[in-house]
Structure formats: structure tokens, C-alpha cells
């Protein structure tokens, strides 16, 4: 007699629709004394599959605020869209751009508003504070946040963050006798560190999740010098007003394999 | 719970100019609970080979003894010290013997191997827990902080470092990587080997 | 909870029912009518499915291709289904995944285009607007945990600009010069990228068609849920053109000699 297929042995079975996905990529932001650098790679992937080599993860919100969004791309794009809408409403109501610390708090409440069906995204907000200082705010998917002077997030966070601890915060380094470590690094040095971080991450990260292109936004405080930015290749100014903070974008290639 | 993270710990080895370095943390844990801050994971095999054994602590002891036994047998049979390349293959085949019930260890080796001209050249290697060999030209990492070690080492390491610079590089790499790893830390030990000597230094690390 | 005391079925009481309104002839019934009334059926899995859609940018616009098969599991159920659909005069959408969901999407888009037309405001929706609208629909349905089970490619040409973008059941979007859904993303996308990237502005329609049919052919041979009957759409300055269904010559004699490929007797 042939084997009988037992039906009741299978038991009830349920497959649930999974509304999330991980689209890889890495973002990074570093604050200087009077500037802020916010960067992200441009690859969008799912597992080992590269969906596109150019899908921006870093977005200009205002002339003094830039938001980098990493995680589930559909949530990320939708979140940026909603933040921008709230900022537009603010501009219409108050005839000015929302200050950076207020944007940070807005992002917290928006993220926490979805506490029980979270946006699967790690946010890093960079820009210039009202007092003219460079600032970076980092968030978890449900809205916990803090102001820092440097943060990496995404697929290569574990590779980049300890490197930044060492090179930005001078962790485990002792200053020469009679000297102290600088509180903030100059722009040129910050840009080199960002590029080094991304090339390292691209080189070593397993899975096809970091690479293709790099976009670095630089926000300069009101009235500050260009600090060598004019000599950087592929730099493009994105400022919309003439007397406020200035925003630049620098594009670079990363390895495509 | 992953068994590779049960006790924690990390090891890294780097190549310099006519020198090698190997470093590990000193923590022994029971998951998140720290047990010891002086748990050795790196052992001398010959005068010119060091072996790091990050992974499950009980297998650290077992493998240390197993390799001591097998290297002694080799030395008696051959009447000479084992070469680093040979030892790497010994490690690989020893681990592959347990292909379907492995030791939960990812060994890292560093040594100076003899050249035909009578000199010495730096050698590093690592394997996974079933003995897949990785002969790298720059650095190898293993343990719970491996991804962090990769990131920092990729940023700090450069070719042809002198022994003192190699010491600084491997120490900074180790310290900064384990500070971002909950399962590694509590001090670091570094060995820098040149053709005629080994310098061992114990570093103070964060204790949180 | 029924908040009408008169519905509670208690005996008459002059304190609250002095006029003897109880029992009322047609008193409202507020209890549960149908246990499953508030229940909704959500798409748990695709049923009748289409496979890959391929698309690329070329000199004059966008080219898109899909076969005419709608499968029911492993059964080749419908062999004359059109998976390329034009929306307005500048856009084509191609769909993989659940075909009933796709037909629902077609009806939404057709109503949308009618609504926009009746406005007579001198505007018409182009490919980027349609893609944006579709991605909002797809994302909001995934957020209701009731997704439209499709991978869609939107291609178009308007105001001298080519447009090519993707959206799926999760609301994930992206665009690039070549796109492929389903098995096509594994098998055809590498071939398309090699043939198209860097040549978007020089490829002629003939060259583009050669590339895309070659990719379709590879898919016919390797994707078991595909069919050698397909359509090709072009969207150019001249407007939308979706071809009649056409068949492609396939040869299977080589399969005889390959164990596990062709039919084997033992």
C-alpha cells in the first residue's frame, strides 16, 4: 500500500505578511564647531540583490538641517516626506524655518507616534543650531534621541563607530603632556575621515549592502568661511537663501562590487 | 543565545615590517556577566608562533592542550620546531576532524617563518570553527568584536609598520573595538614579535 | 453593549416607561447581526500570478516587456493575459505578482485618469505622478497589513524626459536605467545592466528590442513560470505603443542530453 499523506498531522498553519524589509546601506554624521557633515552611501539593496546604485538616503530639509535615513527604504522615504510636510506647515505658520533642536523633538514625537507599528528606520539629523554650532542628533526607530558630535548607523555601524570613537573623540588616546585634544576637528579632516570610513566599510562589509556612491552634505554656519570647500572636487552648492546657513553636497564614487 | 558569544572575547593579528603582532582582550564572561579580567586566550606554541583561541572558554583549554600535545609529537618526530605554515594546517585539520560537532573556537595565528635564505618573514592566519584557513597579508580578526575590529583595522592599518608603530596600531585597534563590544574588553594583552624577540605588554582598558 | 434599557427585556416599570412603550413594535436591534460582519479578508498570499517584467531605457524612451502567462501555482492557467497596461498617453505599467490585485490597480488608475480628465484643468498625469500615486497606494495598503501583492514597473516618456521606476507590495520604490521584477531580477537584470548601463542615450529601438527579447528568451528557458508568448511596450515622444502578443521560437532538443533538464525516462 502506498504511503498515505496524513492531513491532520500538518495542523493549522499561518503565514503572516511581513511589512518590513532591510535595504542595507550606511549613514554617518559628524559635527564640527561651525559646520556639520552628513553622509550616506547611495546603494539600495535587499539581501544580496542590488536594487539600484543610486537611491539617496540623505535629504536636505531646510537650509540648516539635513536628515539621513537608513533601514527600511519605504518607511524612510515616507518618513522624510511627512517630516518635510510638517516643516512646511511650520514655515507657513511662523514665517521662518524650524530650529534644529525643534526638528529633533518633532522627529522624536513622530517616531514615537508609531511606537506600536514603528518606522523601521534609524535617523541621523545634522545641521546648525540656533547658536551657530554644528550639531548631530541621532535617533532609534521609536524616537529615543540625543545630541552628539558624531554617529554612524546602518549596516556598517559596527565597523565605523569604533573608528570614529578613536578619531573624533580621541578615545584611548592620551594627549601629549601640556596639551589637550581638540574639541572639534577642522572640515578638511572630517571629510577625509568620512571618506575613509565609507571606503573601509565598502571594502570589508559582507553582503552587497554598502557601496556604489557616496553623498556628503556639508552645512556651514551663518557667516563662516568656506574652509577649503571651494577646492573639493564635485562640490555643488544647494543653498536657497542668501544670508543664512549654506549647504553643499559632495558626490564621490565607491566600489560597485 | 549563540554559543560563540557565551564567554565572549576577541583576538586580532597584524603584519608589520619584519614583525607581527597578536592581541586579545582579557575578559571571561558568562553572557553579560563578567567573571574574570585575566583570562588568557593567546598561547605560545613555539618560540616563533603564537596562537589565539577566542570562543567557548572550555574549548580554549581543550584546544590549547590538544595543540600542545600535537606540536610536541611533531617536534619529537621531526626533531625541529614546527613552522607557522605547517602549524596553520595542523590547526585546520584538527578542527576539521570535528566537522559535524565542532569546537566553538575561531583560532588566530601569528608567527615568524623561516625563509630559504635563513631570514624570517611575518606570518598570520586565521580559521573558522571548522578549520577553513584564511592567510591574509594585512590582518586577521576573530571573536565577538570581529566586525568592529575589521572596521577599525581597515581604517588604521598600513603596510610596513615598524614594531613600535605596529604595537600602537594593534593596541588602538583592539582597545577601540572592544570598547564597543559588550562581550569583550576588561584589559588587553599584546605580543609584538620580531625575528629575535617577543615583547609582551598588558594594556589597561575600560572596566565597564 | 446595547444602551437602550427597553431592549434589555425587563418587565414594565412605570418609573421609566409610564406610557407603556414596551415592547415597541419595531424597536432597534443593536446586538451582533453577523459574527463575521466586521471581519475582513486580507490578501495572505498571491493566487493567480504573473512572473517577471523587464524594462530598460534607450535612446528614444522606455521599452518594457512581459509574457502573457498567469499561473495558478505551477499550473499555466491563463495564457493570454496582458500584464502591460497603458495609463494615459505617456505611461505604461507592467505587473508581476497577483493578477487580480493588478486588475484592481488598473481599475483604480483608470478611474483616476477619468477624474483628472473631467477636471479639464490643462494638466494630465505623467509617469512620475502615476508612480508617486501608486507608491502611496501600495504603501498605505502594506501599512494596513492588507497589501496589493504586486511588483510594478512604471515606465514613461513626457516633456522630453524618460521615466522608469519600480514599486512593490511593501511600498519600496527605486529607479535605474534597467529594471526587472521576480525571477528577472536574478536572471535578466545582470544581462540588462551589462547591455544597457552607459549606453542609455545611444541604444536604438532595434538594439533595445534585441536585448530585451534575448533576456526574455533566457527567462523562458530558466523560469518555469514563464511563457514564450509576450508583449513589448515602447513609450516614446510618439506616445505609448503596446505590441500584439507574439511568440518566440524555442528549441528544446538539447535538453534531451541533460539529466534533470528535459524529460528523462530514468
Amino acid at each position: 500500500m502506498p504511503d498515505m499523506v496524513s492531513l491532520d498531522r500538518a495542523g493549522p498553519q499561518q503565514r503572516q505578511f511581513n511589512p518590513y524589509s532591510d535595504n542595507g546601506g550606511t549613514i554617518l554624521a559628524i559635527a564640527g564647531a561651525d559646520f556639520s557633515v552628513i553622509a550616506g552611501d547611495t546603494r539600495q539593496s535587499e539581501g544580496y540583490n542590488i536594487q539600484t546604485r543610486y537611491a539617496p538616503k540623505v535629504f536636505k530639509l531646510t537650509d540648516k538641517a539635513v536628515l539621513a535615513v537608513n533601514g527600511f527604504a519605504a518607511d524612510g522615504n515616507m518618513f522624510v516626506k511627512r517630516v518635510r510636510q510638517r516643516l512646511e506647515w511650520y514655515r507657513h505658520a511662523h514665517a521662518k524655518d524650524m530650529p534644529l533642536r525643534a526638528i529633533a523633538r518633532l522627529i522624536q514625537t513622530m517616531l514615537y507616534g508609531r511606537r506600536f507599528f514603528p518606522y523601521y528606520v534609524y535617523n541621523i539629523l545634522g545641521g546648525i543650531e540656533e547658536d551657530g554650532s554644528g550639531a548631530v542628533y541621532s535617533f532609534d526607530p521609536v524616537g529615543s534621541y540625543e545630541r552628539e558630535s558624531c554617529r554612524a548607523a546602518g549596516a556598517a555601524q559596527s565597523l565605523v563607530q569604533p573608528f570614529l570613537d578613536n578619531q573624533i573623540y580621541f578615545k584611548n588616546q592620551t594627549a601629549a603632556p601640556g596639551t589637550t585634544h581638540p574639541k572639534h576637528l577642522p572640515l578638511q579632516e572630517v571629510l577625509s575621515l568620512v571618506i575613509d570610513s565609507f571606503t573601509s566599510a565598502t571594502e570589508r562589509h559582507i553582503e552587497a549592502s554598502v557601496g556604489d556612491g557616496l553623498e556628503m552634505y556639508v552645512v556651514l554656519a551663518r557667516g563662516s568661511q568656506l574652509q577649503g570647500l571651494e577646492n573639493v572636487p564635485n562640490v555643488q552648492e544647494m543653498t536657497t537663501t542668501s544670508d543664512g546657513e549654506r549647504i553643499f553636497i559632495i558626490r564621490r564614487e565607491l566600489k560597485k562590487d | 543565545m549563540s554559543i560563540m558569544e557565551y564567554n565572549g572575547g576577541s583576538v586580532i593579528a597584524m603584519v608589520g615590517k619584519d614583525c607581527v603582532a597578536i592581541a586579545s582582550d582579557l575578559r571571561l564572561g558568562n553572557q553579560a556577566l563578567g567573571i574574570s579580567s585575566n583570562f588568557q586566550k593567546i598561547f605560545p606554541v613555539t618560540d616563533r608562533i603564537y596562537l589565539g583561541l577566542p570562543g567557548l572558554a572550555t574549548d580554549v583549554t581543550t584546544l590549547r592542550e590538544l595543540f600542545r600535545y600535537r606540536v610536541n609529537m611533531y617536534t619529537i618526530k621531526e626533531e625541529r620546531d614546527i613552522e607557522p605554515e605547517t602549524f596553520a594546517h595542523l590547526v585546520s585539520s584538527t578542527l576539521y576532524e570535528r566537522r559535524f560537532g565542532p569546537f566553538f573556537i575561531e583560532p588566530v595565528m601569528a608567527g615568524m617563518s623561516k625563509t630559504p635564505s635563513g631570514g624570517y618573514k611575518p606570518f598570520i592566519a586565521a580559521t573558522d570553527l571548522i578549520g577553513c584557513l584564511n592567510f591574509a597579508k594585512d590582518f586577521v580578526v576573530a571573536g565577538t568584536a570581529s566586525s568592529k575590529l575589521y572596521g577599525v583595522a581597515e581604517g588604521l592599518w598600513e603596510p610596513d609598520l615598524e614594531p613600535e608603530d605596529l604595537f600602537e596600531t594593534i593596541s588602538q585597534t583592539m582597545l577601540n573595538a572592544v570598547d564597543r563590544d559588550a562581550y569583550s574588553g576588561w584589559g588587553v594583552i599584546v605580543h609584538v614579535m620580531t625575528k629575535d624577540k617577543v615583547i609582551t605588554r598588558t594594556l589597561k582598558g575600560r572596566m565597564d | 453593549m446595547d444602551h437602550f434599557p427597553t431592549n434589555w427585556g425587563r418587565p414594565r416599570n412605570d418609573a421609566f416607561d409610564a406610557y407603556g412603550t414596551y415592547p415597541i413594535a419595531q424597536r432597534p436591534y443593536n446586538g451582533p447581526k453577523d459574527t463575521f460582519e466586521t471581519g475582513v479578508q486580507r490578501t495572505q498570499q498571491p493566487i493567480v500570478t504573473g512572473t517577471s517584467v523587464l524594462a530598460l531605457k534607450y535612446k528614444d524612451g522606455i521599452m518594457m516587456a512581459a509574457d502573457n502567462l498567469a499561473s495558478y501555482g505551477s499550473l499555466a492557467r491563463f495564457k493570454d493575459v496582458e500584464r502591460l497596461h497603458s495609463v494615459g498617453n505617456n505611461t505604461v505599467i507592467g505587473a508581476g505578482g497577483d493578477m487580480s490585485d493588478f486588475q484592481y490597480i488598473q481599475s483604480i488608475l483608470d478611474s483616476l485618469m477619468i477624474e483628472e480628465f473631467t477636471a479639464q484643468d490643462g494638466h494630465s498625469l505623467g509617469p512620475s505622478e502615476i508612480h508617486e500615486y501608486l507608491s502611496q497606494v501600495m504603501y498605505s495598503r502594506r501599512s494596513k497589513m492588507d497589501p496589493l501583492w504586486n511588483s510594478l514597473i512604471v515606465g514613461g516618456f513626457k516633456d522630453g524626459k524618460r521615466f522608469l521606476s519600480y514599486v512593490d507590495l511593501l511600498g519600496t520604490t527605486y529607479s535605474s536605467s534597467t529594471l526587472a521584477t521576480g525571477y528577472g531580477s536574478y536572471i535578466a537584470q545582470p544581462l540588462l545592466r551589462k547591455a544597457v548601463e552607459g549606453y542609455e542615450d545611444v541604444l536604438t529601438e532595434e538594439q533595445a528590442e534585441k536585448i530585451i527579447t534575448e533576456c526574455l528568451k533566457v527567462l523562458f528557458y530558466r523560469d518555469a513560470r514563464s511563457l514564450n508568448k509576450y508583449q513589448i511596450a515602447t513609450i516614446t515622444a510618439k506616445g505609448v505603443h503596446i505590441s500584439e502578443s507574439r511568440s518566440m521560437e524555442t528549441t528544446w532538443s538539447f535538453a534531451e542530453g541533460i539529466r534533470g533538464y528535459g524529460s528523462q525516462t530514468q
Side-chain angles (χ1 to χ4, degrees):
Chain A
M1 189 181 160
D3 287 345
M4 297 289 283
V5 178
S6 168
L7 287 175
D8 54 9
R9 191 180 44 162
Q13 196 199 66
Q14 223 196 344
R15 277 196 357 268
Q16 246 257 312
F17 166 64
N18 178 195
Y20 293 115
S21 174
D22 181 355
N23 296 107
T26 293
I27 51 172
L28 162 60
I30 298 170
D34 59 350
F35 66 87
S36 189
V37 177
I38 307 94
D41 68 328
T42 64
R43 179 178 291 181
Q44 191 177 106
S45 61
E46 197 171 13
Y48 293 104
N49 201 198
I50 297 171
Q51 294 179 321
T52 177
R53 299 191 191 279
Y54 185 72
K57 278 189 275 292
V58 192
F59 301 93
K60 182 187 144 189
L61 296 178
T62 65
D63 268 356
K64 56 187 166 221
V66 173
L67 183 60
V69 189
N70 194 225
F72 173 36
D75 270 353
N77 291 327
M78 186 56 66
F79 186 70
V80 169
K81 184 168 285 205
R82 288 175 182 165
V83 170
R84 279 184 166 154
Q85 182 172 56
R86 294 288 294 269
L87 293 178
E88 188 176 331
W89 289 346
Y90 182 95
R91 198 156 46 238
H92 291 149
H94 298 94
K96 63 163 191 164
D97 282 332
M98 191 186 277
L100 196 70
R101 61 191 189 90
I103 300 177
R105 180 62 67 86
L106 172 75
I107 288 172
Q108 140 146 105
T109 50
M110 289 178 68
L111 289 170
Y112 194 81
R114 288 278 294 271
R115 170 63 180 76
F116 298 105
F117 186 20
Y119 291 107
Y120 208 124
V121 285
Y122 287 88
N123 282 287
I124 301 179
L125 174 71
I128 303 296
E129 212 68 270
E130 277 176 311
D131 64 4
S133 61
V136 165
Y137 291 90
S138 68
F139 303 79
D140 81 351
V142 287
S144 302
Y145 81 112
E146 61 176 330
R147 185 179 167 181
E148 299 175 289
S149 49
C150 107
R151 169 61 66 188
Q157 182 191 40
S158 65
L159 285 81
V160 174
Q161 191 67 53
F163 177 66
L164 260 31
D165 290 344
N166 188 224
Q167 298 293 310
I168 305 281
Y169 291 118
F170 299 103
K171 287 275 173 69
N172 293 298
Q173 288 191 260
T174 320
T179 66
T180 52
H181 290 305
K183 219 168 145 242
H184 294 289
L185 294 177
L187 178 60
Q188 291 293 325
E189 220 157 296
V190 167
L191 288 175
S192 330
L193 283 171
V194 170
I195 292 166
D196 276 8
S197 298
F198 275 93
T199 42
S200 294
T202 308
E203 193 71 38
R204 282 289 176 180
H205 198 69
I206 23 70
E207 297 172 29
S209 67
V210 185
D212 290 330
L214 171 60
E215 284 189 332
M216 294 178 284
Y217 281 77
V218 180
V219 194
L220 295 182
R222 188 185 302 253
S224 71
Q225 298 301 307
L226 278 177
Q227 305 175 44
L229 209 53
E230 65 278 13
N231 302 320
V232 177
N234 287 320
V235 66
Q236 192 188 328
E237 180 152 11
M238 310 194 84
T239 318
T240 52
T241 54
S242 56
D243 58 342
E245 292 77 6
R246 297 176 73 182
I247 292 202
F248 299 84
I249 182 171
I250 304 164
R251 292 196 171 85
R252 264 182 153 258
E253 293 286 306
L254 288 174
K255 283 174 71 173
K256 299 193 187 305
D257 53 353
Chain B
M1 185 205 77
S2 164
I3 204 151
M4 297 301 290
E5 275 109 54
Y6 188 70
N7 300 117
S10 303
V11 179
I12 181 171
M14 279 180 176
V15 171
K17 189 174 193 308
D18 303 320
C19 58
V20 284
I22 184 167
S24 83
D25 68 325
L26 291 171
R27 183 180 181 271
L28 169 76
N30 190 190
Q31 303 204 75
L33 172 66
I35 300 291
S36 165
S37 59
N38 191 27
F39 182 74
Q40 300 287 328
K41 296 174 194 66
I42 301 179
F43 309 102
V45 177
T46 67
D47 286 349
R48 290 196 174 80
I49 303 174
Y50 273 78
L51 170 66
L53 299 169
L56 192 69
T58 184
D59 289 346
V60 173
T61 319
T62 310
L63 279 181
R64 184 191 65 192
E65 291 304 314
L66 186 61
F67 287 129
R68 188 165 77 92
Y69 166 72
R70 290 193 167 174
V71 168
N72 281 342
M73 294 307 284
Y74 181 98
T75 316
I76 293 164
K77 246 184 187 166
E78 298 274 327
E79 297 184 316
R80 65 185 173 92
D81 274 350
I82 193 169
E83 281 300 301
E85 286 85 348
T86 321
F87 178 68
H89 283 98
L90 173 70
V91 169
S92 171
S93 53
T94 304
L95 292 183
Y96 198 77
E97 277 180 5
R98 293 276 175 273
R99 172 61 180 80
F100 297 110
F103 293 112
F104 296 102
I105 295 282
E106 295 182 326
V108 168
M109 290 145 270
M112 299 294 284
S113 58
K114 274 205 182 83
T115 57
S117 57
Y120 290 95
K121 71 173 182 15
F123 171 88
I124 55 161
T127 85
D128 65 6
L129 73 170
I130 52 170
C132 174
L133 275 165
N134 167 21
F135 301 110
K137 286 195 249 317
D138 43 12
F139 50 84
V140 284
V141 303
T144 52
S146 61
S147 64
K148 289 113 181 166
L149 286 164
Y150 267 131
V152 190
E154 193 68 51
L156 297 185
W157 185 88
E158 48 191 277
D160 297 325
L161 289 163
E162 295 296 329
E164 276 309 298
D165 297 330
L166 184 67
F167 166 75
E168 197 60 37
T169 306
I170 200 170
S171 301
Q172 286 294 323
T173 305
M174 196 69 200
L175 286 167
N176 289 288
V178 300
D179 283 354
R180 281 281 176 184
D181 184 28
Y183 299 114
S184 300
W186 272 18
V188 167
I189 187 164
V190 184
H191 308 276
V192 181
M193 185 187 292
T194 50
K195 66 177 195 304
D196 51 1
K197 65 173 182 288
V198 177
I199 299 172
T200 300
R201 292 186 179 97
T202 307
L203 311 179
K204 231 158 55 170
R206 288 178 67 110
M207 299 303 279
D208 56 356
Chain C
M1 172 72 189
D2 188 345
H3 296 276
F4 293 94
T6 49
N7 285 341
W8 295 353
R10 289 159 59 196
R12 271 193 64 181
N13 183 339
D14 284 345
F16 70 85
D17 191 20
Y19 301 98
T21 56
Y22 178 84
I24 305 168
Q26 282 133 10
R27 66 183 193 275
Y29 174 70
N30 297 299
K33 294 172 193 85
D34 174 1
T35 317
F36 298 108
E37 187 188 53
T38 53
V40 286
Q41 181 65 253
R42 291 173 167 156
T43 304
Q44 302 293 340
Q45 53 180 317
I47 307 293
V48 177
T49 58
T51 181
S52 321
V53 183
L54 310 180
L56 57 82
K57 279 185 186 170
Y58 69 102
K59 185 162 67 81
D60 308 320
I62 302 294
M63 184 172 287
M64 206 186 290
D67 66 29
N68 288 315
L69 179 66
S71 310
Y72 180 70
S74 58
L75 174 70
R77 181 67 181 82
F78 303 105
K79 297 166 80 155
D80 52 0
V81 165
E82 297 193 1
R83 298 198 290 122
L84 300 178
H85 175 72
S86 65
V87 184
N89 301 319
N90 311 301
T91 312
V92 168
I93 60 170
D98 191 285
M99 285 298 104
S100 64
D101 281 352
F102 177 50
Q103 286 168 7
Y104 170 68
I105 288 168
Q106 289 178 33
S107 75
I108 298 177
L109 288 178
D110 289 346
S111 331
L112 177 74
M113 295 312 281
I114 291 169
E115 196 181 320
E116 291 292 323
F117 174 79
T118 52
Q120 286 291 310
D121 55 2
H123 296 288
S124 66
L125 298 188
S128 70
E129 291 83 4
I130 287 165
H131 176 261
E132 181 65 34
Y133 179 86
L134 261 182
S135 50
Q136 295 289 328
V137 170
M138 298 300 273
Y139 183 82
S140 63
R141 285 293 293 262
R142 87 98 219 188
S143 299
K144 290 173 187 154
M145 293 297 278
D146 186 13
L148 294 168
W149 216 287
N150 297 104
S151 308
L152 303 165
I153 291 178
V154 180
F157 191 94
K158 200 185 177 194
D159 303 330
K161 277 206 178 70
R162 294 170 293 189
F163 181 90
L164 187 56
S165 231
Y166 168 97
V167 59
D168 66 14
L169 72 165
L170 290 173
T172 308
T173 56
Y174 51 87
S175 53
S176 70
S177 54
T178 63
L179 285 176
T181 72
Y183 254 87
S185 68
Y186 299 104
I187 295 173
Q189 182 73 308
L191 304 169
L192 288 170
R193 281 182 183 161
K194 194 175 176 192
V196 175
E197 273 183 10
Y199 309 110
E200 295 90 345
D201 300 328
V202 293
L203 285 176
T204 63
E205 189 159 322
E206 290 70 36
Q207 290 171 313
E209 191 169 324
K210 190 165 180 288
I211 293 164
I212 219 163
T213 46
E214 193 61 33
C215 290
L216 283 171
K217 185 177 259 182
V218 175
L219 283 167
F220 301 152
Y221 279 113
R222 280 295 171 182
D223 178 4
R225 308 282 173 261
S226 68
L227 188 69
N228 65 339
K229 200 176 144 209
Y230 63 97
Q231 284 169 291
I232 289 181
T234 55
I235 312 97
T236 60
K238 289 184 201 135
V240 171
H241 178 258
I242 301 179
S243 77
E244 290 296 305
S245 290
R246 49 180 95 162
S247 288
M248 178 178 276
E249 196 77 6
T250 51
T251 320
W252 290 95
S253 54
F254 68 89
E256 292 291 298
I258 305 171
R259 183 180 293 274
Y261 200 109
S263 56
Q264 245 77 43
T265 46
Q266 52 101 27

